[in-house]
Amino acid sequence: QRLLAFARQQDLRAVSVDLRALIEGMVDLLERSLGPRVELRLDIPQGLPPARIDANQLELAILNLAINARDAMADGGRIDIKVMEYEATRDPMLSPGRYLKLSVADTGTGMSPEILQKAIEPFFSSKPLGKGTGLGLSMVHGLAVQLGGALQLTSKVGKGTCATLVLPVASSAPEAESAA
């Protein structure tokens, strides 16, 4: 239990980041990772406030969610990545305030309510033996909580799954990217 708690506590560098620029900068990587049978669609409006996140960890989380979505669509399909603003007032999972919801939705096989309930448990995987560690969603959940947000999962068997990262809005302008 202590090992799992330690593994979920990542050393984060949470700064103000433009999610639109971050995700658009990942499109090539995502398309190559997803393959030709998966259509990737983005719905990220202009003028969103910046999020207070660790850009590198969020990129890994988005890639992880996209690969999970691809794996749920053996015959191909569509992945929609969407970002929208959200005001939390009476949400039991969040402190009141402004957030951004980053959703990764697929048209895959979906999960039953029983599997969905266990999906973020460490080492739980619905994938065949040798095809997943069961740590991906657990780590994405840990990242979201550590940033002051949440991970919300919805799914319907035969209709697909939607993983939504709820991320806090930053109080300052996005940091300029440093030269690589």
Side-chain angles (χ1 to χ4, degrees):
Q1 291 237 322
R2 281 189 231 131
L3 178 61
L4 289 173
F6 171 76
R8 283 186 168 182
Q9 292 298 316
Q10 302 158 30
D11 187 17
L12 298 181
R13 184 178 172 267
V15 295
S16 181
V17 175
D18 177 354
L19 282 186
R20 182 181 173 96
L22 179 129
I23 295 167
E24 286 178 346
M26 293 181 66
V27 167
D28 188 48
L29 170 66
L30 287 168
E31 287 177 341
R32 281 187 282 123
S33 300
L34 298 174
R37 297 185 334 167
V38 175
E39 176 191 357
L40 178 65
R41 294 196 319 196
L42 301 181
D43 181 3
I44 309 169
Q46 297 275 1
L48 288 170
R52 191 183 61 74
I53 58 163
D54 181 309
N56 293 331
Q57 293 298 323
L58 185 64
E59 284 177 344
L60 290 173
I62 293 169
L63 185 60
N64 186 310
L65 293 173
I67 289 172
N68 278 354
R70 176 203 67 195
D71 291 349
M73 301 183 296
D75 298 324
R78 187 181 75 241
I79 295 176
D80 293 302
I81 297 179
K82 180 178 183 175
V83 180
M84 59 186 272
E85 291 186 70
Y86 174 68
E87 184 77 33
T89 52
R90 292 190 176 105
D91 192 318
M93 302 293 287
L94 301 165
S95 299
R98 294 176 63 213
Y99 294 86
L100 291 169
K101 284 189 169 187
L102 188 163
S103 301
V104 178
D106 66 61
T107 57
T109 56
M111 293 182 269
S112 69
E114 298 79 35
I115 290 176
L116 185 61
Q117 198 170 8
K118 296 188 223 174
I120 63 168
E121 289 179 10
F123 305 116
F124 176 81
S125 179
S126 60
K127 294 179 183 178
L129 193 61
K131 295 288 183 189
T133 62
L135 289 173
L137 285 178
S138 176
M139 290 172 64
V140 171
H141 169 65
L143 170 68
V145 170
Q146 202 174 343
L147 288 169
L151 173 65
Q152 302 167 340
L153 292 174
T154 58
S155 189
K156 282 196 171 30
V157 174
K159 300 283 185 194
T161 300
C162 181
T164 302
L165 277 161
V166 185
L167 304 165
V169 166
S171 56
S172 60
E175 283 193 2
E177 281 197 36
S178 56

